[in-house]
Short mmCIF file of all heavy atoms in Angstrom, two decimals:
data_model
loop_
_atom_site.label_atom_id
_atom_site.label_comp_id
_atom_site.label_asym_id
_atom_site.label_seq_id
_atom_site.Cartn_x
_atom_site.Cartn_y
_atom_site.Cartn_z
N ILE U 56 2.27 24.27 10.35
CA ILE U 56 3.26 25.12 11.03
C ILE U 56 3.35 26.39 10.18
O ILE U 56 3.84 26.33 9.18
CB ILE U 56 4.54 24.45 11.29
CG1 ILE U 56 4.39 23.11 12.02
CG2 ILE U 56 5.46 25.39 12.05
CD1 ILE U 56 5.77 22.37 12.08
N LEU U 60 6.41 30.05 13.55
CA LEU U 60 6.01 29.21 14.60
C LEU U 60 6.75 27.75 14.43
O LEU U 60 7.45 27.56 13.50
CB LEU U 60 4.45 28.85 14.47
CG LEU U 60 3.61 30.15 14.62
CD1 LEU U 60 2.17 29.71 14.60
CD2 LEU U 60 3.90 30.78 15.95
N SER U 61 6.50 26.97 15.46
CA SER U 61 7.26 25.75 15.57
C SER U 61 6.50 24.66 16.22
O SER U 61 5.41 24.97 16.88
CB SER U 61 8.62 25.87 16.28
OG SER U 61 8.44 26.17 17.66
N GLU U 62 6.87 23.40 16.10
CA GLU U 62 6.24 22.27 16.63
C GLU U 62 7.20 21.28 17.12
O GLU U 62 8.16 21.17 16.48
CB GLU U 62 5.12 21.67 15.67
CG GLU U 62 4.44 20.43 16.26
CD GLU U 62 3.45 19.96 15.46
OE1 GLU U 62 2.60 20.79 14.82
OE2 GLU U 62 3.23 18.74 15.33
N SER U 63 7.06 20.72 18.33
CA SER U 63 7.95 19.74 18.83
C SER U 63 7.21 18.43 19.09
O SER U 63 6.00 18.38 19.39
CB SER U 63 8.57 20.23 20.13
OG SER U 63 9.27 21.40 20.02
N PHE U 64 7.93 17.39 18.94
CA PHE U 64 7.40 16.08 19.39
C PHE U 64 8.56 15.16 20.08
O PHE U 64 9.81 15.47 19.67
CB PHE U 64 6.86 15.28 18.22
CG PHE U 64 7.72 15.03 17.00
CD1 PHE U 64 8.54 13.88 16.98
CD2 PHE U 64 7.90 16.03 15.97
CE1 PHE U 64 9.44 13.80 15.88
CE2 PHE U 64 8.72 15.83 14.84
CZ PHE U 64 9.44 14.69 14.91
N SER U 65 8.18 14.25 20.76
CA SER U 65 9.16 13.53 21.65
C SER U 65 8.97 12.03 21.37
O SER U 65 7.75 11.59 21.06
CB SER U 65 9.05 13.81 23.12
OG SER U 65 9.41 15.22 23.34
N PHE U 66 10.01 11.19 21.59
CA PHE U 66 9.90 9.83 21.37
C PHE U 66 11.03 9.10 22.09
O PHE U 66 12.10 9.78 22.40
CB PHE U 66 9.99 9.46 19.85
CG PHE U 66 11.13 10.07 19.17
CD1 PHE U 66 12.34 9.46 19.10
CD2 PHE U 66 11.03 11.28 18.56
CE1 PHE U 66 13.43 9.93 18.48
CE2 PHE U 66 12.11 11.82 17.71
CZ PHE U 66 13.34 11.17 17.88
N LEU U 74 15.60 8.42 12.68
CA LEU U 74 14.41 9.35 12.49
C LEU U 74 14.08 9.60 11.20
O LEU U 74 15.00 10.31 10.45
CB LEU U 74 14.54 10.61 13.41
CG LEU U 74 13.58 11.71 13.14
CD1 LEU U 74 12.21 11.33 13.59
CD2 LEU U 74 14.01 13.09 13.72
N PHE U 76 11.08 11.71 8.69
CA PHE U 76 9.86 12.49 8.69
C PHE U 76 9.66 13.14 7.37
O PHE U 76 10.64 13.20 6.57
CB PHE U 76 9.83 13.51 9.80
CG PHE U 76 10.78 14.68 9.52
CD1 PHE U 76 10.44 15.87 8.94
CD2 PHE U 76 12.12 14.59 10.01
CE1 PHE U 76 11.26 17.07 8.56
CE2 PHE U 76 12.89 15.72 9.85
CZ PHE U 76 12.55 16.83 9.11
N GLY U 107 21.45 18.84 18.66
CA GLY U 107 21.69 20.10 18.02
C GLY U 107 20.82 20.34 16.75
O GLY U 107 20.01 19.70 16.47
N ASP U 108 21.37 21.25 15.93
CA ASP U 108 20.75 21.64 14.73
C ASP U 108 21.13 20.67 13.61
O ASP U 108 22.19 20.47 13.36
CB ASP U 108 21.23 23.06 14.35
CG ASP U 108 20.53 23.56 13.14
OD1 ASP U 108 19.91 22.88 12.33
OD2 ASP U 108 20.46 24.87 12.91
N VAL U 109 20.03 19.92 13.07
CA VAL U 109 20.32 18.93 12.12
C VAL U 109 19.73 19.30 10.72
O VAL U 109 19.53 18.49 9.89
CB VAL U 109 19.77 17.53 12.61
CG1 VAL U 109 20.41 16.99 13.74
CG2 VAL U 109 18.25 17.72 12.74
N THR U 110 19.52 20.65 10.67
CA THR U 110 18.91 21.11 9.37
C THR U 110 19.76 20.62 8.05
O THR U 110 19.10 20.53 6.96
CB THR U 110 18.75 22.67 9.34
OG1 THR U 110 17.95 23.03 10.55
CG2 THR U 110 17.88 23.14 8.22
N ILE U 168 13.03 25.94 6.67
CA ILE U 168 12.81 25.07 7.86
C ILE U 168 14.02 24.93 8.69
O ILE U 168 15.16 24.94 8.06
CB ILE U 168 12.39 23.63 7.31
CG1 ILE U 168 11.98 22.71 8.44
CG2 ILE U 168 13.51 23.02 6.47
CD1 ILE U 168 11.35 21.36 7.92
N LYS U 169 13.88 24.72 9.97
CA LYS U 169 15.00 24.70 10.86
C LYS U 169 14.65 23.39 11.82
O LYS U 169 13.52 23.26 12.35
CB LYS U 169 15.30 25.77 11.78
CG LYS U 169 16.50 25.47 12.82
CD LYS U 169 16.74 26.78 13.60
CE LYS U 169 17.84 26.53 14.53
NZ LYS U 169 18.17 27.72 15.41
N VAL U 170 15.47 22.42 11.92
CA VAL U 170 15.16 21.22 12.64
C VAL U 170 16.24 21.01 13.66
O VAL U 170 17.47 21.02 13.39
CB VAL U 170 15.08 19.96 11.80
CG1 VAL U 170 14.76 18.75 12.57
CG2 VAL U 170 14.02 20.14 10.68
N THR U 171 15.91 20.99 15.01
CA THR U 171 16.84 20.67 16.04
C THR U 171 16.40 19.46 16.83
O THR U 171 15.24 19.10 16.77
CB THR U 171 16.85 21.83 17.06
OG1 THR U 171 15.52 22.18 17.46
CG2 THR U 171 17.53 23.06 16.30
N LEU U 172 17.37 18.82 17.40
CA LEU U 172 17.18 17.52 18.04
C LEU U 172 17.83 17.65 19.48
O LEU U 172 18.97 17.98 19.62
CB LEU U 172 17.91 16.31 17.23
CG LEU U 172 17.70 14.96 17.62
CD1 LEU U 172 16.29 14.61 17.72
CD2 LEU U 172 18.62 14.02 16.79
N ALA U 173 17.11 17.36 20.57
CA ALA U 173 17.51 17.32 21.88
C ALA U 173 17.42 16.03 22.40
O ALA U 173 16.46 15.22 22.17
CB ALA U 173 16.62 18.30 22.61
N PHE U 180 14.06 11.52 23.13
CA PHE U 180 14.59 12.62 22.30
C PHE U 180 13.24 13.69 22.16
O PHE U 180 12.24 13.15 22.09
CB PHE U 180 15.07 12.17 20.99
CG PHE U 180 16.27 11.33 20.90
CD1 PHE U 180 16.22 10.06 21.29
CD2 PHE U 180 17.43 11.98 20.65
CE1 PHE U 180 17.44 9.26 21.15
CE2 PHE U 180 18.68 11.15 20.59
CZ PHE U 180 18.63 10.00 20.95
N THR U 181 13.61 14.79 21.82
CA THR U 181 12.69 15.87 21.30
C THR U 181 13.15 16.47 20.11
O THR U 181 14.25 17.06 20.07
CB THR U 181 12.40 16.86 22.46
OG1 THR U 181 11.82 16.20 23.62
CG2 THR U 181 11.36 17.95 22.01
N VAL U 182 12.24 16.44 19.13
CA VAL U 182 12.55 17.17 17.83
C VAL U 182 11.68 18.44 17.69
O VAL U 182 10.52 18.46 18.14
CB VAL U 182 12.21 16.23 16.64
CG1 VAL U 182 12.31 17.07 15.35
CG2 VAL U 182 13.10 15.00 16.64
N THR U 183 12.33 19.51 17.28
CA THR U 183 11.59 20.78 17.16
C THR U 183 11.66 21.09 15.68
O THR U 183 12.89 21.19 15.13
CB THR U 183 12.07 21.93 17.95
OG1 THR U 183 11.96 21.56 19.35
CG2 THR U 183 11.30 23.21 17.78
N ILE U 184 10.59 21.28 14.96
CA ILE U 184 10.56 21.81 13.51
C ILE U 184 10.08 23.16 13.61
O ILE U 184 8.93 23.50 14.02
CB ILE U 184 9.66 20.88 12.66
CG1 ILE U 184 10.16 19.42 12.55
CG2 ILE U 184 9.60 21.43 11.30
CD1 ILE U 184 9.22 18.51 11.91
N GLU U 185 10.88 24.04 13.04
CA GLU U 185 10.59 25.58 13.01
C GLU U 185 10.42 26.03 11.68
O GLU U 185 11.19 25.74 10.81
CB GLU U 185 11.76 26.25 13.89
CG GLU U 185 11.41 27.82 13.99
CD GLU U 185 12.58 28.58 14.76
OE1 GLU U 185 13.55 27.85 15.14
OE2 GLU U 185 12.43 29.78 14.74
N ASN U 186 9.37 26.82 11.42
CA ASN U 186 9.24 27.45 10.07
C ASN U 186 9.79 28.84 10.13
O ASN U 186 9.32 29.67 10.81
CB ASN U 186 7.64 27.59 9.86
CG ASN U 186 7.26 28.05 8.41
OD1 ASN U 186 8.06 28.77 7.84
ND2 ASN U 186 6.26 27.69 7.91
#
Side-chain angles (χ1 to χ4, degrees):
I56 309 174
L60 299 181
S61 65
E62 180 173 317
S63 298
F64 57 89
S65 298
F66 55 85
L74 167 68
F76 72 87
D108 188 337
V109 296
T110 308
I168 187 172
K169 180 180 180 180
V170 182
T171 55
L172 186 62
F180 290 83
T181 296
V182 172
T183 299
I184 299 177
E185 183 179 359
N186 187 330

